[in-house]
Amino acid sequence: MSTKSIQQVGVVGSGAMGSQIAMVCALAGYPVILQDIRQESLEKAEQFLQEQMEKRVKKGRFTIQEVEQAFARIFFTTELEQFKKADLVIEAIVENLEAKRELFAKLEAVVQPHAILGTNSSTIVSSKLADTLSRPENVCNIHFFNPALVMDLVEVVKGPHTSDETAEMSMEFVRSINKTPVLLKKEISGFIANRILGKLVDEALFLLENGYATHEEIDLVCTKALNHPIGPFSLMDLTGLDVNYFVRMQRFNESSDEKDKPSKIVQEKVENGELGRKTGKGFYQYDEQGKKVEVTI
């Protein structure tokens, strides 16, 4: 099967990543089924995408017609059974191994035998999801970066179970949606970008927790001295502090190394519901439009 045979794409999970992945595929001309277990989550996702695309129309990146056509290609549903004709399904739910394993078992029972099952996870390698499936050769990681509407790179990870055909088709599919793919020939938690980024974030948290500088100052150094487009604390707020927490807990569960646990400050913020932009507060505060609020004392 070639990418020409991919006639329909499915995305599971309508959060920030899943909804954007769905729109990226729709903009590239693919009919997309976006599924979530909650109708209100789907409605929120549609509103979020409307706002994002309106901004891009105003900036001249897309025409109104292109956006309307893309939305017409997205079918919002709460039913997994709608994936019966999907040729590729990308999972973008919470970073929880058992939840993903349960979902993949359900997906395999629904999709066509040739369908590729991709996980957007950046920490849970697909071999942990494919080991109980009857068609593990169809499973791999297809990892988009947040925000998926903007970020060009996609990491495709080939597990020991993944067939060459699945890896090659996934790479070609990524190219067909106007993204740049990189193939990891074997599995490693965190892949490439997040393993490198993780070292930076760990050091930034160490400097903050030990009183060497504020989070604002550390972000400023990264943007002004290292020429990064965004500092590590702003980035954690953007992706969600809960994501950082779940990633570190997954790593700790695998290694049993205390050093792999989430930092105390991240754990405290997650427990307090301070998850970043999506809750209005993380390391920074945000207004309803997701813009930073300057706090004066």
Side-chain angles (χ1 to χ4, degrees), residues 211-256:
Y212 291 100
T214 66
H215 65 273
E216 295 96 338
E217 291 167 334
I218 296 168
D219 273 358
L220 187 64
V221 169
C222 288
T223 56
K224 297 298 185 181
L226 303 181
N227 204 28
H228 292 184
I230 186 172
F233 294 101
S234 294
L235 182 59
M236 279 189 278
D237 274 3
L238 174 62
T239 58
L241 272 72
D242 53 333
V243 173
N244 177 278
Y245 177 83
F246 286 129
V247 166
R248 296 307 297 260
M249 284 303 299
Q250 176 64 31
R251 191 177 302 171
F252 170 70
N253 291 335
E254 292 177 1
S255 70
S256 298

Side-chain angles (χ1 to χ4, degrees), residues 104-208:
F104 270 67
K106 291 179 179 179
L107 285 173
E108 190 182 50
V110 170
V111 300
Q112 304 175 85
H114 70 266
I116 293 174
L117 299 181
T119 173
N120 185 57
S121 177
S122 63
T123 55
I124 299 175
V125 292
S126 66
S127 59
K128 293 183 179 294
L129 309 177
D131 59 352
T132 61
L133 302 182
S134 60
R135 300 187 295 274
E137 66 276 7
N138 293 351
V139 182
C140 67
N141 287 80
I142 304 176
H143 175 231
F144 291 74
F145 290 86
N146 191 23
L149 282 166
V150 177
M151 300 297 284
D152 179 56
L153 192 78
V154 177
E155 293 173 317
V156 176
V157 186
K158 185 178 185 293
H161 55 283
T162 308
S163 70
D164 290 340
E165 181 183 17
T166 294
E168 291 167 5
M169 281 194 60
S170 298
M171 293 284 286
E172 284 302 313
F173 169 75
V174 171
R175 295 187 185 100
S176 75
I177 58 173
N178 305 308
K179 298 291 186 182
T180 301
V182 169
L183 177 65
L184 277 74
K185 300 169 183 63
K186 56 183 181 180
E187 294 181 334
I188 184 169
S189 179
F191 313 149
I192 297 174
N194 281 340
R195 287 183 71 86
I196 296 171
L197 176 62
K199 300 298 183 183
L200 174 69
V201 170
D202 287 350
E203 190 62 28
L205 287 166
F206 171 83
L207 293 169
L208 174 65

